[in-house]
Amino acid sequence: MYICLCNGLTDRDIKSAVASGAQRIANVYESLGAAPQCAKCTANIRDIIRESAGNNAPVTVRR
């Protein structure tokens, strides 16, 4: 499923970035060679990071 329409990122892309060590939203974008555009996807990316990490640790959003 597409999570970030601006960059064409799917949930699989984001999960892969998290599995490779991305722990913050900025890390996800960086590892995928993308940059936030409208930032509407950041809440979904944050949720995927939390689900993948299995905890409710705070996730930093940088704009």
Side-chain angles (χ1 to χ4, degrees), residues 2-62:
Y2 281 94
I3 301 296
C4 177
L5 297 177
C6 298
N7 290 295
L9 303 178
T10 66
D11 58 332
R12 290 181 182 179
D13 297 328
I14 295 165
K15 288 176 184 177
S16 175
V18 172
S20 296
Q23 297 178 350
R24 297 186 345 229
I25 294 169
N27 299 138
V28 171
Y29 282 117
E30 182 181 336
S31 69
L32 295 172
Q37 303 293 319
C38 72
K40 290 182 180 178
C41 60
T42 56
N44 290 327
I45 294 172
R46 180 182 57 238
D47 291 343
I48 292 171
I49 293 169
R50 286 182 177 163
E51 288 172 9
S52 297
N55 63 33
N56 290 321
V59 176
T60 305
V61 177
R62 287 190 179 176

